[in-house]
Amino acid sequence: QVQLVESGGGLVQPGGSLRLSCIASGMLFSATGMAWYRQAPGKERELVARISVTSWAMYADSVKGRFTISRDNAKNTVYLQMNSLKPEDTAVYYCNRPSNYGTEYWGTGTLVTVSS
């Protein structure tokens, strides 16, 4: 059974940093790309970043230069390093296994709140 478990969310002041982690189980992690999405209150879920099997990464324009996605295949973990956080980054962040690698899977999400 595939599971994606996020952690690392919390309350941070504007300009601060957080690192989200997503531990995957029940699948061959090294053979799949991964992604982070977010959903702010009253808005649709949106793609934040994706990382391929070879660690090629892409980012939403809104987070370019501030967020970094990475992976550690030995730990079955994908990370999202978030720097220079803004209030508009406030959202529930979800780990995702994209459908182009097979069945799509989602984590349950971790809340990030950016506020002073």
Side-chain angles (χ1 to χ4, degrees):
Q1 181 181 359
V2 172
Q3 283 192 309
L4 302 176
V5 180
E6 303 98 334
S7 62
L11 173 63
V12 63
Q13 292 187 342
S17 298
L18 281 175
R19 188 177 80 157
L20 306 183
S21 300
C22 170
I23 300 176
S25 60
M27 62 179 178
L28 184 56
F29 183 77
S30 61
T32 185
M34 296 294 293
W36 286 97
Y37 283 74
R38 67 185 180 186
Q39 187 166 19
K43 294 188 177 181
E44 293 188 354
R45 193 172 295 189
E46 63 175 358
L47 176 66
V48 176
R50 288 181 64 139
I51 188 166
S52 74
V53 171
T54 57
S55 293
W56 176 86
M58 66 82 66
Y59 300 92
D61 287 343
S62 59
V63 305
K64 278 181 182 176
R66 300 188 299 122
F67 290 11
T68 302
I69 189 170
S70 62
R71 63 190 299 154
D72 185 337
N73 289 342
K75 296 181 178 179
N76 284 6
T77 301
V78 60
Y79 302 99
L80 187 67
Q81 177 67 44
M82 305 185 296
N83 299 328
S84 302
L85 282 161
K86 305 175 181 180
E88 52 264 43
D89 295 317
T90 294
V92 177
Y93 284 71
Y94 296 92
C95 182
N96 169 264
R97 201 286 284 270
S99 59
N100 55 305
Y101 292 95
T103 303
E104 185 173 34
Y105 294 103
W106 293 92
T108 56
T110 185
L111 177 62
V112 172
T113 303
V114 184
S115 175
S116 55

